[in-house]
Amino acid sequence: NYVFIADGPDGSNLRIYPEQKGSSEKETVTGLLSSKQEVIKKLYDYKKNGYLKLEPVDISPANTMALFILNDNSLCGVSFNPVVFINQLLNSKMQSIAGNEFILAVYKPGTNNIILSTSPVDIREIKQMKSLWLIPQYNLGITLKGETIEELVKARSTRNLILIVGIALLIFAGIWLVFRNIKKEIQLAQIKSDFVSNVSHELRTPLSLISMFAETLEMGRVKTEEKKNEYYSIIHSETSRLSNIVNKVLNFSKMEAGKRTYHFEPVDLNEISDKIFNTYCFHLQNHGFAFNFTPDKEIPKLNLDPDAISEAIVNLIDNAVKYSENTKAINLRIGSENGFVFVEVEDKGIGISESDQKKIFDKFFRVSSGYVHNTKGTGLGLSLVKQIVQAHKGKIKLISSVGKGSCFKLLFPVE
Ligand code: ADP
């Protein structure tokens, strides 16, 4: 409305601008200054301490006065109509602050009378409010557009909770992974040391037998021809046992390096098995085994690598011998079913528990308890069998129960 300037707190040399304003304003200002001496004193105290401050005072129900001190210590005041001020000057500022997310509203506390709002709003929706600095008789309220603060807090809490649970799960998964890797490393170290000791033991036994019998023969201590022949045959069988072990390890390392090559040719599985049967028959029967071979003349010739297949069958027979305890019977059988030709090796030995059946084809795996613990082995035989069968696109079926025996069936597809 108008501005006044006075030279001191008492209102001396009072000038009103614009100058055409009448004496009624001068009267109002004089009355105001004398009634607000305390406020004015406060302003001068601030000024003394280097602060310039605006102090709002009410001058009439409709108008407000902002008092402040100028740099030359003269007292200044600006009279304005708050409603006009809010509508004309605050409007655009409030619009730009509110943007699309908030609603800002100015209203008189205690009434439902909204003077200005950036979007239509009910006063009851306004949750956060504060009185306006220069016009304390009006409140500025804020609320969220579309969403209440409670809803926003709830949404954020839910989001944070999900995030925390997610992070916690991630940490647990990480811990579990680390734990599993450490466990694997420990198992691997254990497997390695077992393997080295198993292989060393497997090599040492035939070597010491060979050296013992060769020495005895060399010293001429064996008198009868019969005994000599027996010692020769022991040396012979121990030598082939040695080369079997070495071959197994070599073949395994070749397979691991992906360097094993197969030479496929049309062969009769009966022939391969018959050869093996004839080689092992005498030896096994000598060791108290009932060893039977049942061929199947109906099966077609298959494209196989005869050496690899022989190796697989021999490994199975080796195991059948090793893991037979009281009933010593082995059946080698050929047959066909559902488009596959099979060779199976059945024993009446110690059998394999269901949980171990899943693991015995893993490299280095050996059942660690009972009878197996006392039988020597490398843990490579069945993993070699598995790889050979896979290279022939075949499959392995195992039927076994503890104490009753096992039957390993190798199936090869008829092309
Ligand atoms: P190795 O015989 O050198 O230990 P394999 O890979 O040939 O290794 O066999 C793995 C494991 O499977 C053996 O340690 C044994 O526990 C079990 N197994 C294999 N064949 C038989 C079988 N015929 N009867 C019982 N257990 C067997």
Side-chain angles (χ1 to χ4, degrees), residues 1 113 132 138 153 222 243 347:
N1 298 333
N113 196 3
L132 277 172
Y138 291 94
V153 168
V222 192
S243 65
D347 64 58

Side-chain angles (χ1 to χ4, degrees), residues 149-216:
I149 301 257
E150 279 86 355
E151 279 167 342
L152 191 82
V153 168
K154 214 169 140 191
R156 288 223 173 140
S157 320
T158 318
R159 206 179 56 197
N160 288 348
L161 204 72
I162 291 170
L163 215 74
I164 289 169
V165 171
I167 290 170
L169 284 179
L170 217 71
I171 291 171
F172 279 129
I175 291 172
W176 179 76
L177 262 173
V178 169
F179 181 73
R180 206 186 63 162
N181 278 353
I182 291 173
K183 211 170 128 192
K184 262 194 176 169
E185 287 290 321
I186 293 171
Q187 276 172 345
L188 204 71
Q190 180 68 40
I191 283 171
K192 269 186 194 165
S193 88
D194 284 354
F195 175 71
V196 170
S197 90
N198 285 337
V199 170
S200 319
H201 201 96
E202 285 238 344
L203 293 176
R204 209 170 48 196
T205 319
L207 272 178
S208 57
L209 282 175
I210 291 167
S211 103
M212 189 179 81
F213 286 108
E215 207 178 305
T216 318

